[in-house]
Amino acid sequence: MSRNVSDYLVEIQVEAAVKSIYTITSDSLNPVNDAVRRDGRLQWIHIRYE
């Protein structure tokens, strides 16, 4: 399976000892969200903007 930019972003975050990502989910972040889910080493924490 080929890797994309999102996979590399997750790898860089893990190497930097990041454990959680606090973010607002949007369509533009879906590839990153999927990469985080597939990798399993980071915790994706959804926050609300209201």
Side-chain angles (χ1 to χ4, degrees), residues 4-16:
N4 58 31
V5 173
S6 298
D7 295 321
Y8 288 108
L9 287 173
V10 169
E11 185 176 322
I12 291 167
Q13 297 302 310
V14 169
E15 288 175 2

Side-chain angles (χ1 to χ4, degrees), residues 30-46:
N30 283 343
V32 177
N33 191 359
D34 189 47
V36 169
R37 180 190 54 78
R38 283 192 322 266
D39 184 82
R41 295 180 285 177
L42 295 174
Q43 181 181 13
W44 183 279
I45 301 172
H46 175 76

Side-chain angles (χ1 to χ4, degrees), residues 6 21-36 44-49:
S6 298
I21 300 173
Y22 294 83
T23 186
I24 298 171
T25 301
S26 67
D27 288 342
S28 62
L29 290 176
N30 283 343
V32 177
N33 191 359
D34 189 47
V36 169
W44 183 279
I45 301 172
H46 175 76
I47 58 174
R48 298 183 68 131
Y49 59 88

